[in-house]
Amino acid sequence: MSEQTPASGHLVDGPSDPEHDPAASYALEPDYVANLTRRVVSTSGQTAPVHSPLNGQPIAHIPQSSTDDVAEAYARARRAQAAWARTPIDDRAAMLLRLHDLVLDRQDEIIDLIVLESGKARKHAFDEPMHVALTARYYGRTAHAHLDTQRKLGVVPGLTRVEVNSVPKGVVGIISPWNYPFTMALCDGLPALLAGNAVVAKPDAQTMLSALLGAQLLEEAGFPEGVWNVVAGVGREIGTPMIERSDYICFTGSTATGRLIATQCAERLIGSSLELGGKNPILVLRDAHIEKAAEGAVRASFSNAGQLCVSTERMFVADQVYDRFVERFVARTEAMSLGASMDWGVDMGTLISQAQLETVQAHVDDAVAKGARVLAGGKARPDLGPFFFEPTILEGVTPDMTCFGQETFGPVVSVYRFHDESDAVARANAGEYGLNASIYTQDGDRGRAIAREIRCGTVNINEAFGATFASIDSPMGGMRESGMGRRQGAEGIHRYTESQAVATQRGLRFAPMFGMSDEAYAKVMTANLRVMKKLGRA
Ligand code: NAD
């Protein structure tokens, strides 16, 4: 094994040559696992295994939370939240900045766990501590800008003083998926904590260890006991008890589950933000730099084996550059190295599970059976590990094929030729999703003009998805069936606060004064409104 794995020091029995030994065993020190799993609120006595998709073998058993345990997690959160909300903003922000340093210092350990649990390539796992560090730094540094009481215009200048407070919602429930198990479990919770909320987090059952390491790091960064509580279990079983006790729900996952959660939140009149699926397009315009576009297209389509909400599954390429672009895209895809490995140097890892493999295989089989051509990949690779699938490029995909409009959530992309750009925009906007798009062009103004026509929450020009995703000051989320609400930026923290307006009135009341009749009052106020408009008041 390379030097990276021993750096974390918690893996034992590592395979000598994991890239070529799919049956190799990866085991974690029992004490290390016990220290992580004790953070689950659980008295049920039940456990559920977590498997490594690198070889399909179990690596840990996670204590499971009953409905009573969920109730206990919320009780702990409620008890801690009141004191936490009174903790000075500077102290809360300092904890985030400590978390930033811890995550960078402990990245080997974090990445080891992510690779072990998700099977992704090490370079894709690195994106996770990086994203958590970026988020922690951003909110740590902008805490006052988002949370300080704001002065607003009063209705009567000089006599009505108005302030708006950002009051924490209370206890936020965070339900997260398996695909980015460390950052998806943590990043949305950081602004919630900073705003003075407590959190109950339910990470996906397949990737609990990465999420529990996140909980441990929060503790080490100084966040007090009870402000971050982890429950474990099957989403459809403990999701409802969570929603019943939350003041707000932040959900990341599939559109189907998001719809269910939004309905339950609506019943309780609590807010929710939903980061859901996508069928994300890339537009390669005729003036695109072909080599850069082909390089970006590989990252856009095959990062984390395509198990990425902002991953590209549809590629619209201008007629004039189609052949040259496709030749370069195929060549770069075929040159990718695949492997089940804890080490750097692998371009793409495995899918996470048999279920994911079956979906990907079914989408490709259906397309091929109906006449699509495979330009690259197209096959499962059991020789590399139980759930491997090659990075796959399809041509000739038509609306009757499943992968035309449905999210595959795997390493499968369809390429289409376009003749004029308005047609490409219309096709990119077709369907129900609207998460992320990319545009490759050497004309930035043109790219930005086209971006305004695209119905997606984020648009990256000359980049796959990282430019928007890593720019934490900007909002990230989906239009249409790709979600509601935004993570990151001001919206990403204000979803967790209630705006409270406080007006202090002096000298004048909002009723007739000095024996004035109601009619005279109405006339005075009407004259006043006219004067205010003339004076340019908002
Ligand atoms: P999923 O909806 O099945 O599961 C996501 C989470 O929801 C898990 O923690 C799961 O346990 C929980 N859950 C499942 N049913 C639930 C219920 N009835 N009540 C409460 N919680 C429940 O999603 P998945 O298939 O595991 O994840 C992949 C999907 O997530 C893809 O569609 C992908 O596009 C999407 N995703 C979106 C983003 C984003 O930021 N937009 C990020 C990552 C993944």
Side-chain angles (χ1 to χ4, degrees):
M1 300 195 98
S2 80
E3 281 173 12
Q4 278 78 22
T5 303
S8 76
H10 303 294
L11 265 173
V12 294
D13 264 351
S16 54
D17 184 10
E19 260 188 78
H20 302 105
D21 184 4
S25 76
Y26 300 88
L28 287 163
E29 290 170 356
D31 286 353
Y32 182 70
V33 172
N35 185 41
L36 291 175
T37 57
R38 72 178 172 78
R39 289 181 165 74
V40 178
V41 181
S42 169
T43 56
S44 70
Q46 310 286 313
T47 62
V50 165
H51 295 88
S52 174
L54 294 174
N55 59 6
Q57 298 300 310
I59 45 172
H61 287 80
I62 309 294
Q64 299 294 285
S65 307
S66 63
T67 304
D68 285 348
D69 293 325
V70 172
E72 170 59 20
Y74 277 82
R76 287 183 198 177
R78 291 245 170 254
R79 282 197 296 273
Q81 191 265 330
W84 175 241
R86 286 193 295 271
T87 305
I89 290 180
D90 285 334
D91 293 0
R92 291 185 240 149
M95 291 175 205
L96 282 186
L97 295 174
R98 273 204 294 280
L99 179 73
H100 168 276
D101 296 347
L102 270 172
V103 162
L104 295 184
D105 291 348
R106 302 267 287 277
Q107 60 175 287
D108 286 335
E109 177 187 354
I110 296 165
I111 294 172
D112 277 353
L113 265 197
I114 295 170
V115 175
L116 197 61
E117 274 196 316
S118 71
K120 66 178 69 175
R122 200 167 184 90
K123 67 178 180 182
H124 298 145
F126 170 72
D127 292 346
E128 301 205 43
M130 180 169 73
H131 186 243
V132 170
L134 283 167
T135 307
R137 189 185 78 207
Y138 170 75
Y139 283 115
R141 293 262 198 253
T142 57
H144 284 287
H146 295 308
L147 296 175
D148 281 356
T149 294
Q150 309 277 321
R151 283 294 287 267
K152 298 288 172 186
L153 289 175
V155 60
V156 185
L159 297 181
T160 317
R161 170 188 169 136
V162 179
E163 290 164 344
V164 174
N165 298 322
S166 292
V167 179
K169 294 241 176 190
V171 178
V172 172
I174 297 183
I175 301 175
S176 57
W178 45 264
N179 61 336
Y180 279 73
F182 182 71
T183 191
M184 285 295 121
L186 265 191
C187 72
D188 285 307
L190 303 184
L193 291 177
L194 182 69
N197 299 280
V199 168
V200 174
K202 194 214 80 62
D204 191 278
Q206 297 168 88
T207 50
M208 284 297 300
L209 295 175
S210 307
L212 287 166
L213 179 55
Q216 182 186 325
L217 294 174
L218 286 171
E219 207 177 294
E220 290 179 28
F223 288 93
E225 197 180 330
V227 302
W228 188 272
N229 308 274
V230 181
V231 291
V234 177
R236 62 180 178 282
E237 290 170 11
I238 63 170
T240 301
M242 284 182 72
I243 294 167
E244 283 166 356
R245 290 169 177 82
S246 292
D247 299 310
Y248 187 86
I249 289 283
C250 166
F251 171 76
T252 305
S254 63
T255 296
T257 309
R259 205 186 298 279
L260 218 66
I261 286 176
T263 308
Q264 293 182 55
C265 288
E267 283 287 332
R268 285 209 53 233
L269 295 179
I270 60 166
S272 58
S273 57
L274 310 168
E275 306 290 346
L276 309 177
K279 189 75 188 173
N280 307 305
I282 275 192
L283 275 61
V284 181
L285 306 189
R286 61 177 177 274
D287 70 340
H289 187 294
I290 297 301
E291 205 55 49
K292 286 182 185 160
E295 185 275 334
V298 167
R299 276 184 296 114
S301 309
F302 306 130
S303 288
N304 195 23
Q307 301 167 116
L308 170 61
C309 56
V310 288
S311 185
T312 291
E313 296 194 1
R314 302 180 299 149
M315 207 163 276
F316 300 97
V317 186
D319 211 13
Q320 296 88 339
V321 294
Y322 184 90
D323 294 332
R324 274 194 299 139
F325 169 80
V326 169
E327 184 269 313
R328 293 309 305 142
F329 181 37
V330 168
R332 281 180 170 272
T333 300
E334 287 179 338
M336 288 172 69
S337 62
L338 314 187
S341 175
M342 298 297 297
D343 296 341
W344 300 98
V346 166
D347 290 327
M348 196 182 95
T350 174
L351 296 168
I352 193 160
S353 62
Q354 182 65 26
Q356 279 295 111
L357 177 63
E358 283 169 13
T359 305
V360 171
Q361 184 78 66
H363 280 209
V364 172
D365 288 350
D366 168 77
V368 171
K370 292 173 179 161
R373 292 174 296 285
V374 176
L375 301 185
K379 296 190 303 298
R381 290 291 300 274
D383 55 316
L384 296 173
F387 316 126
F388 269 84
F389 201 92
E390 291 174 339
T392 298
I393 306 172
L394 300 176
E395 193 182 45
V397 169
T398 50
D400 58 322
M401 301 175 190
T402 313
C403 72
F404 180 85
Q406 276 187 32
E407 185 186 42
T408 305
F409 216 55
V412 181
V413 62
S414 312
V415 285
Y416 306 93
R417 197 184 279 271
F418 73 80
H419 304 288
D420 78 86
E421 283 170 5
S422 58
D423 173 50
V425 169
R427 288 158 75 189
N429 283 339
E432 306 306 324
Y433 291 118
L435 191 56
N436 179 57
S438 321
I439 301 171
Y440 277 84
T441 172
Q442 296 191 58
D443 180 346
D445 288 342
R446 174 122 202 82
R448 284 184 288 277
I450 291 177
R452 281 193 287 275
E453 306 294 317
I454 300 268
R455 301 278 295 143
C456 284
T458 52
V459 182
N460 290 271
I461 296 167
N462 295 327
E463 182 47 64
F465 50 80
T468 50
F469 210 95
S471 299
I472 312 291
D473 194 28
S474 71
M476 186 270 151
M479 296 185 187
R480 302 182 283 168
E481 294 199 1
S482 288
M484 288 190 335
R486 297 287 182 269
R487 63 163 52 104
Q488 307 192 162
E491 291 167 68
I493 187 162
H494 283 300
R495 62 187 158 157
Y496 300 126
T497 64
E498 300 281 9
S499 295
Q500 178 196 49
V502 179
T504 310
Q505 187 61 32
R506 287 194 302 144
L508 193 75
R509 62 177 192 230
F510 286 82
M513 288 168 57
F514 316 117
M516 193 185 269
S517 71
D518 287 344
E519 189 181 359
Y521 173 75
K523 283 191 174 132
V524 168
M525 290 310 279
T526 302
N528 179 273
L529 289 171
R530 293 208 161 101
V531 170
M532 287 296 185
K533 182 177 177 243
K534 280 212 174 82
L535 292 176
R537 274 282 288 192

